[in-house]
Amino acid sequence: MASIQANSTYSLTNTKGGTCIDLSGGDNVSIIGYGYHQGPNQGWTFENAGQNQTFYIKSAGSGQYLSTAGEPNDGQRVVAGGSPYAWRVDDEQGVESGVRLSPASNTNFSVDLSDHGNSTPGTPVQLWGRWAGENQVWKLQKVQ
């Protein structure tokens, strides 16, 4: 495991686009890729969900949870929601502190920086079928 300590806060940087998972200040719901600026909307607290490698991921800024806008499928938006949502966190071989995030209910999909890892600020974060793309790999960095 990528040495995740339960109840610790991390930033998640996409290995392809170089942007972080960011809770948009525009609507406080959308999850986007954005350059790292150390804001609380880019800090994510990993809470143990009771199963091995499974976590609830909570915004350090708003207290909302990383979730999805609906059932897992290609292009489904990753959003912030009020209820805990379980994510499976798997190490990415060959990438130091690299992980893939998948809905615990369906690990055939991964959190994906859309448009093949587009580094443009505001690029949506979505689910997509799991594949070897770097735009589905996120580097953890402890921020607290």
Side-chain angles (χ1 to χ4, degrees):
M1 198 67 221
S3 300
I4 295 173
Q5 295 174 336
N7 301 315
S8 292
T9 302
Y10 299 86
S11 65
L12 293 135
T13 303
N14 188 263
T15 59
K16 174 94 186 261
T19 56
C20 291
I21 291 181
D22 181 290
L23 173 56
S24 173
D27 64 7
N28 224 24
V29 173
S30 298
I31 302 298
I32 60 174
Y34 202 88
Y36 185 60
H37 56 69
Q38 300 178 332
N41 61 320
Q42 293 183 336
W44 300 93
T45 302
F46 283 65
E47 299 176 345
N48 193 325
Q51 298 175 11
N52 190 30
Q53 296 176 256
T54 305
F55 296 88
Y56 303 125
I57 304 173
K58 184 164 84 173
S59 169
S62 73
Q64 296 178 91
Y65 290 89
L66 201 63
S67 187
T68 63
E71 292 298 314
N73 61 54
D74 285 342
Q76 184 64 264
R77 290 183 327 133
V78 175
V79 297
S83 299
Y85 185 91
W87 294 94
R88 179 167 168 104
V89 181
D90 292 309
D91 285 336
E92 178 65 12
Q93 299 299 325
V95 179
E96 185 177 345
S97 300
V99 297
R100 288 179 182 266
L101 307 174
S102 300
S105 64
N106 188 338
T107 58
N108 293 322
F109 294 92
S110 290
V111 173
D112 177 291
L113 182 61
S114 67
D115 196 19
H116 304 284
N118 189 329
S119 62
T120 302
T123 297
V125 175
Q126 64 184 4
L127 293 180
W128 201 264
R130 184 173 265 221
W131 69 294
E134 289 181 69
N135 58 314
Q136 293 187 349
V137 180
W138 303 87
K139 288 190 79 167
L140 290 168
Q141 181 178 339
K142 195 169 184 181
V143 296
Q144 282 183 314

